[in-house]
Amino acid sequence: MTGVHAELLKRRQAVLPSWLSTFYAEPIDLDHGEGRHVVDAEGNRYLDFFGGILTTMTAHALPEVTAAVSEQAGKILHSSTLYLNRPMVELAEQVAEVSGIPEPKVFFTSSGTEATDTALLLATGYRASNQVLALRNSYHGRSFSSIGITGNSGWSPTSLSPVQTYYVHGSRRLNGPLGGLHGLDDAAFTAACVADLEDVLGQVKDNVACLIAEPIQGVGGFAMPPDGLLGEFKKVLDRHGILWISDEVQTGWGRTGEHYWGWQAHATDGATPDMVTFAKGLGNGLSIAGVVARAEIMDSVPANSISTFGGSPVTAAGALANLRYALDHDLQGNAARIGAVLRAALDKAAGLPGVAEIRGKGLMIGIELVDGDGQPSPQAATEVLELTKAAGLLVGKGGLHGNILRIAPPLTLTADEAEHGAAILVTALNKTAAQTP
Ligand code: PMP
């Protein structure tokens, strides 16, 4: 490896932690972007189907966001929550309005991890319990408390934890012990997971604070509970007064196409979560995240609390412009329409040797890769990433075994771009399939 990237890689390795991994044998530096495309520091142009981990939600260099950020940056960068901060109030109003939570109140943080921490603080305080339910294969952040509810061992560097967590089944259909390999259809799988939840609760001492769940697990490789499962869980939770936190960091703001929030696919009998956490897409790359919760829960913190940077004037102004753009241009509708185009084009790879499953909703599609024995194949995923990169397409990967391709372009994706990117992917999958033993 020679050139600009090689030199930067060397410098990065010298000063940044070894556990901060990069994609690709020859990692790239994304220098600039426009729309759904990015250009690296060596001048190579890519169609971006990963958006910096589902964070570039609308588009790269969206003029509306750039203008809002520049205008606010020219006025004042920071004031803190000790002062009123108009952009933060306006953004909170907008988030509350779309939240679907009754009597919503919003707290802004700088990262999804802090949003998780806040939700745990609220739930454990409100319920006077440090006991938490989470799904196996989950990811909710990198802090001490969010690692404590991370069921994906690859992202859980310590077993020390301030919370007592019980993991329940719910998402892994293909390779999990209750999965499709065992012939369970949606209804039977849901019933088995509800029975598992009941069983866990029957063995837990005292009260449990909350259940936190991603409606589609992001880092976990877009593993999906059947629609309605979390709503069935909610019925059990209600009997115990346990709160439901929906982690919408990857699934929020219309990405799944059919709904604005991932939890809405589960909302049987009008069930709503008690809290929603959000991050990534809201700021289109600006570091803004937060929690929206029922007022009674949000207001229950018995001491002062503050996030110095959360909802800063610049990030809030940019996020507001981004959110309004997404709403005004019906990007949820675009995710549904173009997601269907993308899915149909990707389905040409269904049935290839090594392609175990293509799944997802809207513009959030996972492709699970296995070897000739049906075992997870992280090698195949790595190979597809290299092949697609060489052909000018960026995609992601994840899952418990790193064998699931993650495809999540900005929500302004066009039909032509969907077809073009899918063709590159299908070609790469064909090549990898030819090597599957
Ligand atoms: N929750 C989910 C579902 C996530 O995917 C992530 C980030 N991958 C987080 C929380 C944590 O967000 P952050 O990296 O901004 O702290």
Side-chain angles (χ1 to χ4, degrees), residues 12 20-24 30 38 48-58 60 112 139 155 214 217-222 248-253 255 279-286 363-364 385 394-399 406-411:
R12 176 186 156 116
L20 207 55
S21 63
T22 46
F23 279 160
Y24 307 120
L30 299 184
V38 287
D48 185 3
F49 270 16
F50 203 39
I53 325 180
L54 294 85
T55 302
T56 306
M57 175 176 84
T58 45
H60 290 280
Y139 181 87
W155 293 97
E214 304 156 82
Q217 293 180 321
V219 174
F222 295 178
E248 300 279 348
V249 168
Q250 300 214 7
T251 44
W253 320 112
R255 177 163 292 282
K280 296 196 189 289
L282 174 63
N284 202 36
L286 294 160
L363 286 172
M364 190 168 182
L385 251 68
L394 303 183
V395 299
K397 65 185 170 88
R406 291 200 287 161
I407 297 149
L411 303 186

Side-chain angles (χ1 to χ4, degrees), residues 385-401:
L385 251 68
E386 294 294 348
L387 290 169
T388 48
K389 175 192 164 212
L393 176 74
L394 303 183
V395 299
K397 65 185 170 88
L400 210 49
H401 307 286

Side-chain angles (χ1 to χ4, degrees), residues 53 110-114 116 139-142 214 218-219 247 249-250 277 279-280:
I53 325 180
S110 315
S111 69
T113 295
E114 288 172 84
T116 300
Y139 181 87
H140 300 286
R142 59 160 296 280
E214 304 156 82
V219 174
D247 181 336
V249 168
Q250 300 214 7
T277 57
K280 296 196 189 289

Side-chain angles (χ1 to χ4, degrees), residues 299-319:
D299 289 337
S300 69
V301 176
N304 287 321
S305 197
I306 185 176
S307 168
T308 298
F309 291 127
S312 79
V314 169
T315 59

Side-chain angles (χ1 to χ4, degrees), residues 109-426:
T109 63
S110 315
S111 69
T113 295
E114 288 172 84
T116 300
D117 273 355
T118 305
L120 290 176
L121 178 77
L122 290 170
T124 54
Y126 183 81
R127 293 277 296 149
S129 162
N130 76 333
Q131 301 194 93
V132 173
L133 295 159
L135 293 193
R136 296 176 184 202
N137 194 42
S138 57
Y139 181 87
H140 300 286
R142 59 160 296 280
S143 65
F144 199 52
S145 70
S146 39
I147 284 169
I149 54 167
T150 293
N152 184 328
S153 57
W155 293 97
S156 192
T158 174
S159 61
L160 297 173
S161 172
V163 286
Q164 171 78 50
T165 305
Y166 305 98
Y167 291 100
V168 293
H169 289 284
S171 60
R172 286 178 62 233
R173 304 295 304 278
L174 200 61
N175 293 312
L178 300 181
L181 290 181
H182 301 267
L184 297 187
D185 62 15
D186 284 4
F189 180 80
T190 300
C193 293
V194 169
D196 172 59
L197 173 65
E198 299 259 28
D199 188 51
V200 168
L201 288 174
Q203 297 184 31
V204 168
K205 257 194 164 172
D206 307 324
N207 66 323
V208 168
C210 60
L211 167 96
I212 183 164
E214 304 156 82
I216 299 176
Q217 293 180 321
V219 174
F222 295 178
M224 291 167 46
D227 284 358
L229 181 137
L230 298 174
E232 292 304 311
F233 275 12
K234 169 78 171 149
K235 290 178 191 165
V236 178
L237 302 181
D238 280 349
R239 289 209 315 273
H240 298 265
I242 299 169
L243 304 177
W244 172 21
I245 303 168
S246 188
D247 181 336
E248 300 279 348
V249 168
Q250 300 214 7
T251 44
W253 320 112
R255 177 163 292 282
T256 63
E258 58 177 27
H259 294 108
Y260 197 68
W261 301 107
W263 63 261
Q264 288 168 321
H266 297 270
T268 38
D269 303 334
T272 56
D274 297 284
M275 282 184 250
V276 158
T277 57
F278 55 83
K280 296 196 189 289
L282 174 63
N284 202 36
L286 294 160
S287 53
I288 187 160
V291 182
V292 50
R294 287 199 283 118
E296 187 195 359
I297 298 170
M298 184 64 89
D299 289 337
S300 69
V301 176
N304 287 321
S305 197
I306 185 176
S307 168
T308 298
F309 291 127
S312 79
V314 169
T315 59
L320 189 57
N322 185 47
L323 197 50
R324 287 204 174 131
Y325 183 94
L327 290 165
D328 291 349
H329 294 80
D330 185 26
L331 293 193
Q332 180 191 336
N334 199 59
R337 282 187 301 277
I338 306 301
V341 173
L342 181 58
R343 179 60 186 269
L346 289 173
D347 276 347
K348 290 179 191 144
L352 284 176
V355 176
E357 187 173 64
I358 303 179
R359 59 172 175 261
K361 291 185 174 192
L363 286 172
M364 190 168 182
I365 301 175
I367 304 183
E368 183 147 354
L369 302 179
V370 293
D371 64 17
D373 298 323
Q375 296 306 307
S377 179
Q379 298 83 355
T382 301
E383 171 81 1
V384 171
L385 251 68
E386 294 294 348
L387 290 169
T388 48
K389 175 192 164 212
L393 176 74
L394 303 183
V395 299
K397 65 185 170 88
L400 210 49
H401 307 286
N403 64 316
I404 298 149
L405 301 175
R406 291 200 287 161
I407 297 149
L411 303 186
T412 51
L413 190 74
T414 66
D416 283 351
E417 290 163 347
E419 297 278 8
H420 179 64
I424 294 175
L425 259 163
V426 172

